[in-house]
Amino acid sequence: MSIRMNNQDSVQIRPATLNDAPAIAQIYNSEIAGSTTTLDMVERTLDDQVAWISEHGGIYPAVVCELDGVVVGFGALSPFRNRPGYSGTVEDSVYVAAGTRRGGVGLAILNELIRLASSHGFHSILALIGGGGEPSIRLHLKAGFRQVGVLEQIGRKHGKWVDVTVMELLV
């Protein structure tokens, strides 16, 4: 999908490929090291990232956003839980490279994930946003999600307890 954002050249949202593994790992690893938006604590190796991309296909896709041929963000749909009763629900993930935030990349990725979730017949999308994720909360609100709860002090990272905000969109 090609779109135009903020009077910039067109950007491309497309399915992630194994060739995107280094760029995705770089974006994600910067969040692991420097934030509590993800509670992962071990940076992904290239092999880890290739395996992650390989697991995200079919009804649980991963997408990337390219700006001038450079991957500047990625997102994915993942199963929420493995019990059959949760099969109508997915969890989204959206990450944008630090230098391209607040330009519409995250919203373009999230809108594509919403479109894909709907086309695959899912009923609800959840976002679990770690502490310090206020920009991600605003992004999800802009896309139509509503906050349905906060899991207080559910995780620990960088020596402090972290809340996780739960957001939901019915599609």
Side-chain angles (χ1 to χ4, degrees):
M1 170 174 79
S2 283
I3 57 175
R4 296 186 67 76
M5 300 180 325
N6 295 346
N7 297 321
Q8 296 177 356
D9 294 337
S10 69
V11 293
Q12 181 74 22
I13 306 287
R14 61 167 176 77
T17 69
L18 297 179
N19 291 334
D20 299 317
I24 292 172
Q26 182 178 10
I27 293 167
Y28 190 66
N29 286 344
S30 71
E31 293 301 314
I32 290 172
S35 79
T36 56
T37 57
T38 177
L39 294 181
D40 274 353
M41 293 187 229
V42 177
E43 290 187 7
R44 288 184 182 164
T45 66
L46 188 56
D47 287 341
D48 294 336
Q49 196 62 65
V50 166
W52 181 89
I53 293 169
S54 297
E55 294 167 2
H56 282 86
I59 64 171
Y60 302 110
V63 299
V64 296
C65 179
E66 282 187 341
L67 178 60
D68 298 327
V70 176
V71 173
V72 295
F74 73 95
L77 296 176
S78 300
F80 173 62
R81 295 279 192 268
N82 64 0
R83 293 182 181 98
Y86 293 112
S87 64
T89 300
V90 288
E91 181 180 346
D92 80 73
S93 301
V94 176
Y95 292 91
V96 177
T100 54
R101 292 183 186 145
R102 300 189 60 89
V105 170
L107 186 59
I109 293 168
L110 185 53
N111 283 336
E112 178 65 1
L113 293 176
I114 293 167
R115 186 193 70 76
L116 289 166
S118 178
S119 72
H120 292 307
F122 290 106
H123 179 68
S124 62
I125 306 170
L126 294 178
L128 281 74
I129 301 167
E134 288 78 12
S136 188
I137 291 169
R138 287 191 302 273
L139 168 68
H140 282 79
L141 288 170
K142 194 173 203 178
F145 283 69
R146 66 185 180 96
Q147 184 174 324
V148 294
V150 175
L151 304 171
E152 294 180 356
Q153 299 182 15
I154 193 168
R156 189 161 175 80
K157 188 171 178 184
H158 301 310
K160 63 180 180 179
W161 289 106
V162 177
D163 295 345
V164 172
T165 299
V166 182
M167 302 190 75
E168 179 182 45
L169 177 69
L170 300 179
V171 292

